[in-house]
Amino acid sequence: MLGTHPKGLYLLFATEMWERFSYYGMRALLVLYLTTSLLNGGLGFTESDASLLYGIFTGMVYFTPMIGGWLADNYIGQRRSITIGAIVMMLGQLCLFYESDLFFLYLGLTLLVIGNGFFKPNISVLVGNLYEQNDIRRDSAYTIFYMGINVGALIAPLLTGWIATVYGYRYGFLVAGIGMFLGLLVYQILGNRFLGDLCMLPQKTQLKEEGGEKPLTKAEKDRIKVIFVFALFSVFFFAGFEQAGSSMTLYTDKYIDRNVAGFEIPTAWFQSVNPLFIVLIAPLLTSVWNMLAARKQEPDIPIKMAMGMILLGVGFLFLMGAVWQRGGDVADEGVKANILFMIMAYLFHTLGELCLSPIGLSMVSKLSPVRLASIMMGVWLLSSFFANSIGGYLASFFSKLGAGSIFTFIAIFSIIMGLVLLCLRKWLLKKSHGVL
């Protein structure tokens, strides 16, 4: 599978890996940094305020890609947008490192939000543009690319979590900034060699050179509708999935027995469980899809995404098990739940993610009209804006309602939405006009 792909894919793999190292290294620390007291190197936020800010930040990170995608399609081009985004995000991490106060916190988070808007949709579109429209390698290319995302996400919390424990949170953010610098360096040095002039010009300019823009066809309009429907279900999925950085982190920190063979696992390290599972499981799942495809039994995209929703719900059932083992939402932090409940939740969330997220990236690249490629990728990522905002709002009730109520609601809702998506399968396939 690896040797059949263009070298540009591996350059984008490395660039995205370091960018995700930077983002997830920072994200693993954010809620802990906000809620830690001022005397201990944090900012002294309440859990409710920290969860709300976390939700707003992670939401805005996925709002700006629609703007960045539009700018790239019309004025800048994907290649330059990636460079701009990487520089701005690096500066954001350095602001978080520079000073532990509210001004540099908000400045740093704002720069990260803006930079991600330029970076995220355009590197995803660039992957698809390495291939012809009907190239069967595209799905596997996005799976390889997605593994790059998660290699970075796997390593980062382990390193930044350890650095933050030993030296303080600021130095964890510094390491995250260095990761972004390395990604930018790789991209700038090897970009022209492995990508040539691919996506240097905005799509609008290229279309003018080829004779001007043409109106969208009915089939293209129908396919855009399909993207929006899948994006809506992506909102439901990631509102639950992103509890990993808020309510699940808080629950792990307080109520999970993290002591293994005399060593207490740092809470931030749990952010590496999901990417570890992805790196281990993604190649196996790809082999399963390929085997089923050879037998003409591979599930179509609506079925895969519905499976993702249901598997997410199953993961939250394990978290309900942790609550039940503790005897409910008891406040005593001395009463701990078995670590396996959290591990199993991450396992099923990962299986659900692999059925939905990389499949979604490939789906958008297939269904989008060429001249709207980046902005439609931005629309897909916009679903995570709403998801993170909703997820942060839900997590803000962690202390008020108790984890059991939040986990139960998400479990039931996710499974129901998976069944609803299955009911829409025939309509979605029809409106894709043979692409899916």
Side-chain angles (χ1 to χ4, degrees), residues 168-426:
Y169 291 108
R170 289 178 54 226
Y171 290 93
F173 297 133
L174 176 61
V175 170
I178 292 171
M180 189 65 263
F181 172 74
L182 292 175
L184 175 62
L185 194 65
V186 169
Y187 179 73
Q188 290 299 113
I189 292 174
L190 300 177
N192 288 335
R193 179 178 176 184
F194 291 138
L195 299 173
D197 60 357
L198 182 68
C199 294
M200 288 296 291
L201 295 175
Q203 290 293 335
K204 188 174 183 179
T205 302
Q206 292 184 30
L207 287 169
K208 285 182 179 178
E209 292 178 355
E210 294 169 4
E213 295 185 42
K214 299 177 182 178
L216 292 175
T217 65
K218 182 181 183 303
E220 287 176 325
K221 291 178 181 178
D222 283 345
R223 289 169 185 152
I224 289 173
K225 292 176 185 176
V226 172
I227 292 174
F228 274 97
V229 172
F230 279 128
L232 176 62
F233 282 90
S234 179
V235 171
F236 302 144
F237 179 88
F238 282 106
F241 183 84
E242 288 296 338
Q243 296 301 307
S246 51
S247 66
M248 288 172 64
T249 292
L250 293 171
Y251 196 83
T252 300
D253 193 50
K254 289 186 171 186
Y255 304 125
I256 294 293
D257 183 4
R258 295 179 281 117
N259 196 298
V260 177
F263 173 70
E264 186 172 69
I265 302 172
T267 303
W269 285 18
F270 281 80
Q271 297 294 302
S272 288
V273 175
N274 165 250
L276 174 62
F277 278 141
I278 283 182
V279 171
L280 294 175
I281 296 171
L284 298 175
L285 192 60
T286 300
S287 297
V288 170
W289 296 145
N290 289 339
M291 180 186 68
L292 291 173
R295 299 177 181 177
K296 297 184 178 180
Q297 296 176 342
E298 183 183 10
D300 52 47
I301 286 179
I303 290 177
K304 288 179 180 177
M305 290 194 168
M307 288 170 57
M309 293 293 307
I310 293 169
L311 288 167
L312 176 73
V314 173
F316 276 100
L317 292 178
F318 281 97
L319 293 178
M320 290 165 59
V323 175
W324 294 334
Q325 186 187 42
R326 295 186 66 248
D329 287 317
V330 295
D332 185 0
E333 294 182 23
V335 181
K336 303 288 188 181
N338 193 296
I339 193 173
L340 288 177
F341 285 111
M342 189 60 66
I343 298 297
M344 292 302 293
Y346 275 113
L347 173 60
F348 278 88
H349 288 184
T350 300
L351 289 169
E353 182 186 10
L354 286 170
C355 288
L356 188 140
S357 194
I359 301 301
L361 292 174
S362 182
M363 175 272 297
V364 173
S365 75
K366 291 177 181 178
L367 293 176
S368 298
V370 173
R371 62 186 176 280
L372 299 177
S374 288
I375 194 169
M376 293 312 300
M377 190 64 74
V379 168
W380 173 253
L381 295 171
L382 182 65
S383 64
S384 291
F385 159 71
F386 292 108
N388 280 280
S389 300
I390 294 168
Y393 181 73
L394 285 173
S396 70
F397 289 96
F398 178 81
S399 300
K400 300 172 187 175
L401 298 180
S405 299
I406 294 172
F407 296 156
T408 301
F409 171 76
I410 297 174
I412 295 171
F413 185 78
S414 299
I415 292 170
I416 291 174
M417 287 299 101
L419 296 175
V420 171
L421 184 52
L422 282 175
C423 293
L424 292 173
R425 172 178 172 267
K426 289 184 178 180

Side-chain angles (χ1 to χ4, degrees), residues 31-215:
V31 169
L32 298 173
Y33 172 58
L34 294 174
T35 55
T36 298
S37 68
L38 291 170
L39 290 175
N40 291 317
L43 293 177
F45 279 51
T46 65
E47 289 180 356
S48 177
D49 288 342
S51 293
L52 275 175
L53 179 58
Y54 175 87
I56 292 169
F57 165 69
T58 54
M60 291 303 296
V61 158
Y62 292 103
F63 175 79
T64 51
M66 190 170 69
I67 300 171
W70 179 81
L71 289 171
D73 281 339
N74 289 279
Y75 300 106
I76 305 173
Q78 281 87 9
R79 293 276 289 280
R80 292 187 185 90
S81 293
I82 292 169
T83 300
I84 293 169
I87 293 171
V88 174
M89 284 189 286
M90 181 178 66
L91 293 174
Q93 299 284 17
L94 294 179
C95 284
L96 294 176
F97 160 71
Y98 183 74
E99 191 72 48
S100 292
D101 67 17
L102 292 179
F103 174 78
F104 283 100
L105 169 71
Y106 293 128
L107 177 60
L109 295 182
T110 299
L111 289 174
L112 288 169
V113 165
I114 293 170
N116 193 74
F118 283 101
F119 188 96
K120 190 67 175 174
N122 295 301
I123 196 167
S124 298
V125 167
L126 209 53
V127 172
N129 285 344
L130 291 169
Y131 303 88
E132 297 295 332
Q133 184 63 31
N134 296 319
D135 195 322
I136 60 172
R137 298 176 296 170
R138 188 178 296 207
D139 283 0
S140 63
Y142 274 103
T143 300
I144 294 169
F145 179 69
Y146 205 72
M147 286 179 64
I149 292 173
N150 286 281
V151 169
L154 165 63
I155 300 169
L158 299 176
L159 183 56
T160 62
W162 177 75
I163 292 289
T165 300
V166 176
Y167 299 103
Y169 291 108
R170 289 178 54 226
Y171 290 93
F173 297 133
L174 176 61
V175 170
I178 292 171
M180 189 65 263
F181 172 74
L182 292 175
L184 175 62
L185 194 65
V186 169
Y187 179 73
Q188 290 299 113
I189 292 174
L190 300 177
N192 288 335
R193 179 178 176 184
F194 291 138
L195 299 173
D197 60 357
L198 182 68
C199 294
M200 288 296 291
L201 295 175
Q203 290 293 335
K204 188 174 183 179
T205 302
Q206 292 184 30
L207 287 169
K208 285 182 179 178
E209 292 178 355
E210 294 169 4
E213 295 185 42
K214 299 177 182 178

